[in-house]
Amino acid sequence: IHRSAQAWDSTLIFVASQLLFFIELRCALTLMRGSRRGRLLYALTQAIVLLYLWAASVGWIYPEIFSISGANNLEIFHRLLLHKSPDLLVLLLLFLPASSRQFFQRR
């Protein structure tokens, strides 16, 4: 925390990551109640994380705290998908099975 607080951009990324963590925690609680909104918000947070990791790895965003190394953009994207595969599996389980859709349609 001390090292992150020395620069504004690092502090902003640190605060944003903590905020994103609490949003994901709130999504988990609303998912347990069967809320459709929680599932969509979780998908949105994962999309934001995926875009940030990709942009930081390509070098578009500074500082590159969470960057993934690779020889070219295709290799970076491949490694990024491998890194995020557990989260993508959770998203698939939340949206694809018929039992999951039925769970989120009840009120």
Side-chain angles (χ1 to χ4, degrees), residues 14-105:
F14 176 73
V15 169
S17 68
Q18 295 301 309
L19 181 64
L20 195 63
F21 171 73
F22 287 119
I23 290 171
E24 287 179 349
L25 187 62
R26 178 70 177 160
C27 288
L29 294 174
T30 58
L31 279 171
M32 290 172 53
R33 285 187 279 140
S35 172
R36 192 179 312 175
R37 184 179 44 177
R39 156 175 91 150
L40 294 174
L41 191 58
Y42 180 73
L44 180 68
T45 59
Q46 290 305 310
I48 290 170
V49 168
L50 188 69
L51 285 174
Y52 174 78
L53 285 174
W54 181 71
S57 298
V58 173
W60 291 352
I61 296 177
Y62 182 80
E64 298 144 349
I65 294 175
F66 302 108
S67 63
I68 296 174
S69 62
N72 54 21
N73 289 346
L74 187 61
E75 185 178 344
I76 289 171
F77 189 70
H78 182 318
R79 287 186 182 186
L80 182 61
L81 285 180
L82 288 177
H83 180 72
K84 295 297 287 178
S85 60
D87 296 323
L88 294 174
L89 179 64
V90 169
L91 283 172
L92 285 175
L93 290 174
L94 285 174
F95 283 96
L96 286 185
S99 60
S100 176
R101 287 193 303 268
Q102 290 170 357
F103 178 75
F104 289 108
Q105 288 176 353

